[in-house]
Amino acid sequence: MARTALVTGASAGIGERFAHRLAEAGYDLILTARREDRLNALAQTLSERFAARCTVIPTDLAEPAQVQSLLDRLDRDDLQVDFLVNNAGFAARTSLVASDWATLQREIQVMVSAPTELMIRLGQRMVERGYGNIVNVASLAAFAPPPSGMLYTGIKRYLLDVSQSADMEFRRSGVRVTALCPGFTYTEFHDVQGTREQVSRLPGIFWQDADAVARIGLQAALAGKAVCVPGRFNRVLAAVCDALPAFARYQLGRRGRIY
Ligand SMILES: NC(=O)c1ccc[n+]([C@@H]2O[C@H](COP(=O)([O-])OP(=O)(O)OC[C@H]3O[C@@H](n4cnc5c(N)ncnc54)[C@H](OP(=O)(O)O)[C@@H]3O)[C@@H](O)[C@H]2O)c1
């Protein structure tokens, strides 16, 4: 019987490519994001190309009630999740002083509360069954010095740490949790953030293809890796950042931000 994967943020970028790679690997898919038209088009492509059975559940993860509705729908339709990809995300651009609380709250809900709730509630069921995979899409930013006035790096650091804590506990029951930490990736992320012009000045060595990130992330998850930084250049950056003493991280962070 085919196993089923739930991908959040499947309407674009890394999530959409993850859905392709999972379908290619034989998984049926539960696709979620806000843009239903894109999810329906993706579902059609995946069913035609890979014969994957796809269920589309439009959800705004910034609304806690909609996260609950997503979980209720899985129960009601008896949809078992064997592979969870907590991928949906965005970064607010404005400074903390200039931000309205509602925007920051959405960032925390979409990238902290929702993935944590899905990881724990669906992870508990995987532990009961004795198998399963969870990928939390963090970021290379989790290793980077924290820049001035942003929640994003702290949020991604949280995801990196909590993924490892969950993996240490769940692995005893045959369930693995992988923190996937991509560097700069060609997706809609920087258009949504409004930093496309700024980041496009970065040399090509910094950039990766969304499909490569998804492929490497899926391989790492199936191999049971707790942390995956795709790309040799990114792994060197992560190692260098990890080795920095706290005062150097702070001073580097103060010098400017590129996210
Ligand atoms: N691109 C990069 O350089 C990069 C680097 C490191 C890590 N990441 C991480 O990778 C993940 C995927 O980002 P991406 O680069 O693929 O960006 P993207 O192309 O902008 O895709 C973001 C996805 O998240 C979904 N999403 C955003 N807000 C949502 C909400 N409130 N409710 C439900 N879904 C929501 C979007 O769907 P809808 O708009 O249809 O809801 C979309 O499918 C994020 O967690 C990001 O932090 C990206």
Side-chain angles (χ1 to χ4, degrees):
M1 211 170 75
R3 294 193 171 174
T4 302
L6 166 61
V7 181
T8 73
S11 61
I14 295 169
E16 192 220 338
R17 297 320 303 173
F18 239 110
H20 272 86
R21 291 298 172 197
L22 284 158
E24 186 183 51
Y27 284 83
D28 289 331
L29 267 303
I30 302 165
L31 305 169
T32 183
R34 291 167 300 181
R35 286 170 290 180
E36 190 173 2
D37 52 339
R38 286 208 186 190
L39 296 177
N40 285 331
L42 176 62
Q44 191 171 346
T45 304
L46 298 181
S47 61
E48 284 168 9
R49 200 172 295 170
F50 305 107
R53 282 190 304 172
C54 297
T55 307
V56 167
I57 311 180
T59 305
D60 184 349
L61 294 173
E63 302 291 337
Q66 293 200 31
V67 179
Q68 183 59 51
S69 301
L70 169 63
L71 289 161
D72 290 345
R73 170 80 187 275
L74 299 178
D75 283 344
R76 202 175 58 240
D77 293 356
D78 216 6
L79 291 165
Q80 176 178 305
V81 176
D82 306 302
F83 198 123
L84 167 66
V85 185
N86 270 319
N87 161 77
F90 69 98
R93 191 186 186 186
T94 53
S95 78
L96 299 180
V97 170
S99 295
D100 61 304
W101 172 241
T103 307
L104 299 177
Q105 197 173 32
R106 286 178 73 80
E107 221 180 335
I108 294 167
Q109 171 59 31
V110 171
M111 288 186 293
V112 176
S113 301
T116 305
E117 182 173 3
L118 293 174
M119 175 178 76
I120 292 174
R121 293 180 67 182
L122 298 176
Q124 286 168 343
R125 297 171 193 187
M126 291 177 189
V127 164
E128 268 172 34
R129 291 194 296 271
Y131 65 87
N133 285 96
I134 298 171
V135 173
N136 291 323
V137 181
S139 172
L140 188 61
F143 297 92
S148 164
M150 271 194 110
L151 296 185
Y152 187 76
T153 49
I155 285 172
K156 293 301 188 182
R157 183 81 207 180
Y158 164 82
L159 274 179
L160 172 61
D161 283 359
V162 88
S163 299
Q164 291 175 88
S165 294
D167 186 63
M168 289 172 205
E169 185 180 358
F170 292 179
R171 64 182 294 157
R172 293 194 288 263
S173 312
V175 177
R176 298 306 307 262
V177 183
T178 303
L180 176 61
C181 303
F184 288 94
T185 309
Y186 293 114
T187 66
E188 296 171 14
F189 182 86
H190 296 99
D191 304 309
V192 174
Q193 192 189 14
T195 52
R196 174 62 60 206
E197 203 188 321
Q198 199 179 336
V199 294
S200 59
R201 289 188 216 120
L202 287 169
I205 191 167
F206 279 91
W207 290 92
Q208 272 186 312
D209 193 44
D211 193 58
V213 170
R215 182 174 42 77
I216 295 167
L218 178 56
Q219 277 168 3
L222 295 176
K225 291 194 178 156
V227 179
C228 169
V229 179
R232 196 175 299 158
F233 180 69
N234 290 334
R235 281 195 293 281
V236 170
L237 284 180
V240 169
C241 289
D242 239 8
L244 290 172
F247 76 90
R249 284 171 59 80
Y250 181 84
Q251 292 303 336
L252 267 174
R254 277 186 69 193
R255 278 166 197 258
R257 69 190 215 200
I258 49 173
Y259 311 105

